[in-house]
Amino acid sequence: MQLSSSRSLAEMKPVLADPGATGPDPVYQVFKELGVDSWVNQTVIAPGRYGQEFPKTFGHYHGVETPEKYHVVSGEGVLQLQKKHLELGFWTPEKMDEVLLIKAGANDELVITPEYGHSWSNVGTAPLVLYDDWTTPHSPADYEAITKLHGLAYYLTEENGAIKLMANKNYEDLPEPVWMTAEEFQRYLRK
Ligand SMILES: [Fe+2]
């Protein structure tokens, strides 16, 4: 296994609820050449907080139509999925058709389709370890909208031991987020 990339706290500042907050650094690391079945990448997200916010991945969209599969190895995570909104055939990045929050733990698996921007948050007390099968290199365009809007639709924060969602004010008319399990999401996609 080899280190593929590492996201420092400084690099994550544009997408944090509080860009001045301190906490674990690096926020997460991605490893390659895992030698585990057909999995391509392993992401390890540190436990902790940045102010009230849970550590997370930067978040991105995919520029290609390939689905992406995740497997939760260990830890407790929430995958935020935000569905692209089209107006007259044009993508409007500050509006969302829907926002889904998938709570997932060890051995949960799910496949996501290309219309969803996505980011994982580590809501547990241990590192969140994930496998995925993504082989296409990311382009700067995959991160552009999320950088400009300072994160995904909702910031996942902690209040009195529970997850509290803070709406990202850079988005317009945000839909109420819907919580699902990994299994429920797969059934939902098949509908
Ligand atoms: Fe992805």
Side-chain angles (χ1 to χ4, degrees):
M1 189 161 76
Q2 270 193 31
L3 182 65
S4 166
S5 67
S6 187
R7 279 278 187 180
S8 69
L9 177 55
E11 290 171 300
M12 289 293 288
K13 282 184 188 293
V15 296
L16 292 184
D18 174 5
T22 56
D25 192 5
V27 183
Y28 63 97
Q29 292 185 306
V30 182
F31 298 87
K32 60 182 181 180
E33 291 169 24
L34 309 180
V36 188
D37 303 327
S38 56
W39 298 108
V40 178
N41 307 292
Q42 175 181 286
T43 302
V44 181
I45 309 172
R49 304 282 184 278
Y50 302 98
Q52 298 300 110
E53 190 176 13
F54 292 105
K56 62 185 180 183
T57 56
F58 195 94
H60 59 246
Y61 289 93
H62 291 162
V64 295
E65 296 296 305
T66 324
E68 178 174 24
K69 188 174 183 181
Y70 283 109
H71 173 93
V72 180
V73 179
S74 61
E76 287 174 67
V78 174
L79 176 64
Q80 181 170 184
L81 297 168
Q82 55 182 36
K83 191 174 186 179
K84 282 182 172 179
H85 176 75
L86 301 176
E87 275 181 16
L88 303 171
F90 290 97
W91 178 33
T92 314
E94 65 277 14
K95 288 188 182 174
M96 286 301 134
D97 277 351
E98 61 184 15
V99 177
L100 308 177
L101 294 160
I102 317 297
K103 188 114 196 267
N107 296 318
D108 277 334
E109 282 194 0
L110 69 164
V111 176
I112 62 169
T113 47
E115 63 272 23
Y116 290 103
H118 48 281
S119 161
W120 279 95
S121 290
N122 181 355
V123 300
T125 52
L128 174 61
V129 183
L130 308 160
Y131 290 152
D132 70 71
D133 66 349
W134 193 253
T135 54
T136 313
H138 283 290
S139 78
D142 292 355
Y143 299 95
E144 204 178 294
I146 286 164
T147 307
K148 210 169 136 194
L149 294 162
H150 299 292
L152 270 75
Y154 290 91
Y155 299 106
L156 277 80
T157 67
E158 191 211 320
E159 193 177 73
N160 302 324
I163 299 171
K164 187 190 171 197
L165 300 175
M166 262 177 57
N168 180 343
K169 302 236 172 349
N170 299 300
Y171 287 78
E172 289 174 18
D173 310 322
L174 272 183
E176 258 323 287
V178 178
W179 286 91
M180 284 184 195
T181 64
E183 242 178 41
E184 285 166 343
F185 174 62
Q186 299 301 252
R187 280 201 296 269
Y188 178 76
L189 270 193
R190 282 196 290 267
K191 270 189 209 155

